[in-house]
Amino acid sequence: MVNIIDTAGYFLENYDSSVKSLRAYYGEYPEIFEQYFAYHCKDTDERHQQSIRKYPEAMAGIEAARWRLPSIIEETALEYERLYGIIFPIDVNLLVGGFGSNAYTYRDIIPNISFALEKLSPEPDHLRALTAHEFGHAAHHILTDRTETDWNKIPWTHPLNWLYQEGVATHFSRKTAPGLDAATYYSFNGEGAEWLHFAEQNTAEIKHAFKEDYRTLDTPELFKEWFSINGGKRFGYERLAYFLGNNFFQSKVEKMGELMAVLDWREDGFLESAELWLEEK
């Protein structure tokens, strides 16, 4: 079952508003923070000083999220087991980072999950949506690994696969944490209504713009604009690829059913099907 590693307790007990105390904290959990700083946040004194200035305002939310997440994690894991028969043999890390990513899965076939508490809304429904989403990524891998899958054939670094993966995780989050506000499944906070309204009213234009950027931008630029919280220059709204990814995945569910749609990324014609969807009006 899920093993929750609460590194935030050490942070809260030992942090004294100094870079030295932060580095001592990171040193207590080297493997966890090696992943975090490799992919999600700069490990520089300048960045840590910026974080130190932000922590006072974030501290109450950090403590509330730390208190609420364990039960939500357990509830989420049980719901995936009930609906899909999935047992998660993973670590779930509760950490305090430098205001980079809010949550992420490690880059493994059966990935561990980390939640950066300083970036989370501590509201229970917001935590449920985010937890269900991240567990959705892990569930996607576990269900795929149950089949005869050649993992070397998975197009890990292809932007259309990123689109699909976010669609799968969003789908799973709605199934395992039902009844939440529709925007929460994308925003993981209470500020997503305008974003979702814009996406629903401008779906064709957003899809066309993504297609143009997919053809012209290099991969890091495309990721930043469409998948990162630091993007969104095209329309003024970041991470619109998550909305497109949901639409793409739902189109597959309609054609082949849920399970086959979840497993489709292992098929030889997967990227071609994604290209065809992108061309559809």
Side-chain angles (χ1 to χ4, degrees), residues 156-270:
W156 295 107
T157 60
H158 199 288
L160 295 183
N161 186 44
W162 301 341
L163 206 70
Y164 163 78
Q165 286 178 280
E166 295 304 340
V168 174
T170 302
H171 172 83
F172 276 140
S173 69
R174 281 196 298 266
K175 285 297 191 76
T176 57
L180 307 181
D181 182 82
T184 303
Y185 295 108
Y186 296 102
S187 65
F188 314 119
N189 58 37
E191 302 170 3
E194 182 181 317
W195 182 97
L196 183 58
H197 179 75
F198 174 83
E200 291 174 339
Q201 295 300 309
N202 299 276
T203 302
E205 292 83 354
I206 293 167
K207 187 177 180 181
H208 180 74
F210 179 86
K211 181 172 66 175
E212 285 185 342
D213 285 355
Y214 168 67
R215 290 173 173 170
T216 58
L217 299 182
D218 62 30
T219 299
E221 289 178 306
L222 187 72
F223 177 85
K224 182 177 180 181
E225 171 61 22
W226 290 93
F227 294 87
S228 170
I229 59 173
N230 298 314
K233 292 182 178 179
R234 268 274 197 165
F235 295 103
Y237 295 92
E238 78 282 355
R239 296 169 66 251
L240 286 169
Y242 284 54
F243 178 80
L244 293 178
N246 175 70
N247 290 354
F248 174 44
F249 182 70
Q250 292 306 321
S251 74
K252 286 196 166 292
V253 173
E254 291 174 7
K255 291 176 182 177
M256 61 183 67
E258 183 184 44
L259 180 58
M260 293 308 297
V262 167
L263 299 176
D264 196 52
W265 64 336
R266 67 197 186 107
E267 300 300 328
D268 290 338
F270 168 71

Side-chain angles (χ1 to χ4, degrees), residues 22 26 33 36-37 40-42 47-48 50-52 54-55 95-101 116 118-119:
L22 287 179
Y26 306 146
F33 282 100
Y36 177 73
F37 289 122
H40 303 281
C41 183
K42 293 180 180 178
R47 181 60 178 261
H48 300 323
Q50 292 173 357
S51 299
I52 286 168
K54 294 179 180 178
Y55 284 140
L95 62 88
V96 180
F99 296 87
S101 298
E118 81 286 358
K119 287 286 288 185

Side-chain angles (χ1 to χ4, degrees), residues 119-167:
K119 287 286 288 185
L120 305 186
S121 163
E123 292 301 315
D125 281 355
H126 304 163
L127 293 174
R128 288 187 186 98
L130 181 61
T131 302
H133 184 98
E134 295 305 320
F135 271 78
H137 286 302
H140 189 193
H141 288 213
I142 291 170
L143 288 172
T144 303
D145 197 52
R146 287 178 178 177
T147 66
E148 293 183 5
T149 297
D150 182 352
W151 285 100
N152 292 319
K153 291 184 177 180
I154 298 293
W156 295 107
T157 60
H158 199 288
L160 295 183
N161 186 44
W162 301 341
L163 206 70
Y164 163 78
Q165 286 178 280
E166 295 304 340

